[in-house]
């Protein structure tokens, strides 16, 4: 009995491409949400916008819990976007596993070439009736087709290489370790703890955006306006959080169980 190849090798080239394209579209949405979360945390978790309003009080404990929960949720969602490849998983490594095949890359390039080739050849501007202009226009059109095919292949190759580098980085290892040990799973792992440094979320978010942008360009002929998405998310976060006001009393001085206030 012939053993069935493992996923995704068991899929046809067309199936691998179609699944990769669909999951890349979903990753675009995931990373848009992560941008919004990152901009909110820049104000709530790392900025003084709210924390400077919280006095030494019992309420400070609840505020610490609130803002730490926001930070943890960003870590969970960011780590999930980089979880290893699996048939039922929407993550960067999953899409990379699907496209990491010469046949899939060639299929993507040829498919994009056919799409561009279907565009009508621009009519040559030739008021003087110079001979050969129509032929020149057709040659330029074909050159554009070939360039687009080359660009798709290069974008996928770059996405594959960048994904490998980022997935193996110490920062990514620390992110996954923090998620697995302390936030989402509470695992008791025997290997050495890799310390996660708060503030590296944005570095890893930008790494993901770089890879997803290349995948989206190659698989969906799409170039999402990530800078605009970040500006919009920053605007929205500022509109809310900079207009929040707290008015909290300090605990009675005679009470011996006062809060230690905010953690710096």
């Amino acid at each position: 009995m012939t053993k069935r190849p493992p996923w995704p090798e068991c899929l046809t080239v067309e199936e691998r491409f179609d699944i990769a394209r669909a999951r890349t579209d979903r990753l675009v949405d995931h990373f848009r949400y992560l941008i919004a979360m990152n901009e909110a945390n820049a104000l709530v978790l790392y900025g003084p916008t709210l924390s400077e309003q919280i006095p030494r009080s019992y309420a400070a404990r609840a505020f610490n819990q609130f803002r730490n929960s926001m930070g943890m949720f960003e870590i969970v969602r960011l780590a999930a976007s980089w979880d290893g490849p699996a048939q039922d998983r929407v993550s960067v490594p999953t899409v990379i596993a699907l496209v990491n095949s010469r046949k899939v890359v060639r299929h993507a390039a040829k498919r994009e070439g056919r799409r561009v080739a279907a565009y009508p050849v621009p009519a040559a501007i030739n008021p003087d009736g110079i001979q050969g202009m129509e032929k020149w226009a057709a040659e330029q059109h074909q050159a554009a087709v070939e360039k687009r095919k080359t660009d798709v292949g290069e974008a996928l190759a770059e996405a594959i290489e960048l994904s490998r580098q980022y997935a193996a980085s110490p920062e990514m290892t620390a992110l996954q370790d923090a998620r697995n040990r302390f936030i989402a799973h509470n695992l008791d792992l025997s290997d050495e703890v890799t310390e996660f440094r708060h503030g590296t979320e944005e570095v890893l978010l930008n790494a993901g955006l770089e890879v997803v942008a290349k995948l989206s360009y190659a698989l969906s002929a799409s170039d999402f306006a990530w800078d605009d998405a970040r500006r919009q998310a920053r605007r929205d976060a500022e509109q809310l959080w900079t207009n929040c006001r707290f008015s909290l009393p300090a605990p009675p001085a005679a009470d011996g169980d006062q809060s230690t206030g905010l953690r710096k």
Side-chain angles (χ1 to χ4, degrees), residues 128-155:
D128 298 326
I130 301 175
Q131 293 184 356
M133 287 296 289
E134 289 76 12
K135 179 181 179 182
W136 175 85
E139 290 173 347
Q140 292 299 305
H141 182 67
Q142 184 59 36
V145 170
E146 296 303 320
K147 182 179 186 305
R148 184 69 180 187
K149 290 166 62 176
T150 300
D151 289 347
V152 166
E154 290 178 350

Side-chain angles (χ1 to χ4, degrees), residues 108-117 119 141-155 216-223:
K110 289 180 180 179
R111 185 180 183 279
E112 180 60 12
R114 289 193 297 270
R115 187 185 72 85
V116 177
Y119 293 163
H141 182 67
Q142 184 59 36
V145 170
E146 296 303 320
K147 182 179 186 305
R148 184 69 180 187
K149 290 166 62 176
T150 300
D151 289 347
V152 166
E154 290 178 350
S216 185
Y217 172 83
L219 301 176
S220 298
S222 175
D223 188 11

Side-chain angles (χ1 to χ4, degrees), residues 103-198:
K103 291 182 179 180
V104 176
V105 172
R106 284 198 297 267
H107 175 77
K110 289 180 180 179
R111 185 180 183 279
E112 180 60 12
R114 289 193 297 270
R115 187 185 72 85
V116 177
Y119 293 163
V121 178
I125 301 175
N126 189 17
D128 298 326
I130 301 175
Q131 293 184 356
M133 287 296 289
E134 289 76 12
K135 179 181 179 182
W136 175 85
E139 290 173 347
Q140 292 299 305
H141 182 67
Q142 184 59 36
V145 170
E146 296 303 320
K147 182 179 186 305
R148 184 69 180 187
K149 290 166 62 176
T150 300
D151 289 347
V152 166
E154 290 178 350
L156 287 175
E158 290 169 1
I160 292 168
E161 181 57 30
L162 286 172
S163 177
R164 288 172 176 166
Q165 293 177 16
Y166 293 142
S169 68
E171 293 83 3
M172 190 66 70
T173 300
L175 175 79
Q176 299 280 0
D177 204 33
R179 188 272 307 266
N180 293 339
R181 292 179 189 268
F182 310 119
I183 303 176
H185 303 304
N186 295 339
L187 299 181
D188 184 11
L189 303 174
S190 59
D191 53 334
E192 183 179 354
V193 175
T194 305
E195 181 183 1
F196 175 74
R197 296 183 179 275
H198 287 284

